[in-house]
């Protein structure tokens, strides 16, 4: 049992043998009372602030397969027709100075992108999400697809960072959430049928 609206957790293990403890195997983020993302460590619950009240968010364990997700200068990011203008230029949604400004070198979305290929992704449903802010480029496309022929697309959508809307949802399920200070969390969810896939931002 998780008691809401209190900065305290009491849990009851519904089997013979005593009380259970709260456990979380990964680092996650809460949105704090100032609207900023706050990192929560292993075994620390995610909090949700509503005015002077605090409740807790429960979710299944997750793994981030997209490496160096706030360091686009790393070589794991395949950059085509795109350059990093400045690194750690502006306050990110977590309140830290660690956001990168990217700029396309061409107008065609198919020839300007940043991509990661992941060859050991389990088969199943996954969500690809990034935080993005309008800094001259209004539209962002996310693609989650197979990284070899026939390049099956599991999730694809175009987002409008000015209006905060989904411009088109080609495949899978798209979502956009306001994260404050001009930032949006944009995502696509789809189900892969092979273990080698790509995640692309264009």
């Amino acid at each position: 049992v998780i008691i809401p609206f209190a900065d305290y957790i009491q849990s009851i293990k519904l089997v013979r043998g005593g009380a259970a403890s709260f456990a979380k195997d990964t680092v996650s983020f809460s949105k704090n009372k100032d609207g900023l993302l706050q990192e929560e460590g292993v075994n620390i619950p995610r909090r949700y602030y509503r005015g002077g009240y605090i409740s807790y968010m429960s979710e299944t364990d997750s793994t981030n397969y997209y490496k160096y997700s706030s360091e686009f200068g790393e070589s794991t990011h395949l950059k085509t027709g795109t350059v990093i203008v400045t690194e750690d230029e502006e306050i990110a949604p977590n309140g830290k100075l660690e956001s990168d400004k990217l700029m396309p070198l061409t107008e065609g979305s198919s020839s300007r992108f940043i991509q990661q290929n992941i060859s050991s992704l389990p088969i199943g449903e996954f969500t690809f999400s990034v935080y993005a802010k309008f800094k001259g480029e209004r539209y962002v496309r996310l693609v989650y697809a197979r990284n070899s022929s026939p390049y099956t697309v599991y999730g694809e959508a175009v987002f409008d960072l000015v209006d905060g809307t989904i411009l088109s949802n080609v495949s899978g399920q798209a979502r956009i959430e306001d994260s404050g200070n001009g930032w949006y969390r944009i995502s696509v969810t789809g189900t892969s049928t092979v273990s080698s896939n790509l995640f692309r931002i264009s």
Side-chain angles (χ1 to χ4, degrees), residues 70 86-102 132-136 180-183:
S70 62
T86 51
E87 293 188 61
D88 302 331
E89 179 198 52
E90 189 173 335
I91 300 296
N94 62 2
K96 298 179 181 179
L97 188 66
E98 59 181 25
S99 64
D100 295 345
K101 182 177 180 181
L102 310 175
K133 182 176 184 177
F134 173 70
K135 295 291 284 187
N181 194 29
W183 288 97

Side-chain angles (χ1 to χ4, degrees), residues 136-154:
E137 289 296 317
R138 179 170 184 167
Y139 305 109
V140 176
R141 180 190 310 269
L142 295 186
V143 177
Y144 159 37
R146 181 174 176 170
N147 70 357
S148 60
S149 182
Y151 301 100
T152 308
V153 176
Y154 309 118

Side-chain angles (χ1 to χ4, degrees), residues 13-51:
K13 188 176 183 180
L14 300 178
V15 295
R16 188 178 303 169
S21 61
F22 183 92
K24 180 165 66 68
D25 296 332
T26 59
V27 171
S28 60
F29 290 88
S30 296
K31 184 177 284 189
N32 67 22
K33 60 185 177 181
D34 298 318
L36 298 174
L37 292 182
Q38 177 178 317
E39 185 175 298
E40 306 289 7
V42 173
N43 291 331
I44 303 298
R46 294 179 63 210
R47 294 170 174 83
Y48 177 69
Y49 287 82
R50 287 185 280 181

Side-chain angles (χ1 to χ4, degrees), residues 60-171:
T60 58
D61 286 343
S62 60
T63 300
N64 183 10
Y65 290 94
Y66 196 88
K67 304 303 180 185
Y68 301 102
S69 54
S70 62
E71 301 172 56
F72 286 96
E74 288 289 330
S75 60
T76 189
H77 298 281
L78 171 64
K79 291 179 279 293
T80 299
T82 305
V83 295
I84 299 174
V85 179
T86 51
E87 293 188 61
D88 302 331
E89 179 198 52
E90 189 173 335
I91 300 296
N94 62 2
K96 298 179 181 179
L97 188 66
E98 59 181 25
S99 64
D100 295 345
K101 182 177 180 181
L102 310 175
M103 184 182 78
L105 298 176
T106 180
E107 289 302 315
S109 62
S110 62
S111 55
R112 59 172 194 182
F113 58 85
I114 291 181
Q115 176 175 307
Q116 272 195 35
N117 295 309
I118 301 173
S119 59
S120 59
L121 192 72
I123 295 172
E125 183 179 88
F126 289 90
T127 296
F128 174 40
S129 68
V130 298
Y131 288 94
K133 182 176 184 177
F134 173 70
K135 295 291 284 187
E137 289 296 317
R138 179 170 184 167
Y139 305 109
V140 176
R141 180 190 310 269
L142 295 186
V143 177
Y144 159 37
R146 181 174 176 170
N147 70 357
S148 60
S149 182
Y151 301 100
T152 308
V153 176
Y154 309 118
E156 180 179 357
V158 178
F159 303 88
D160 186 328
L161 299 181
V162 173
D163 293 340
T165 58
I166 299 168
L167 190 65
S168 68
N169 190 174
V170 179
S171 181

Side-chain angles (χ1 to χ4, degrees), residues 1-6 8-12 22 45 55-58:
V1 177
I2 296 180
I3 300 177
F5 306 119
Y8 172 74
I9 284 186
Q10 179 177 345
S11 60
I12 301 174
F22 183 92
S55 56
Y56 292 92
M57 302 176 68
S58 176

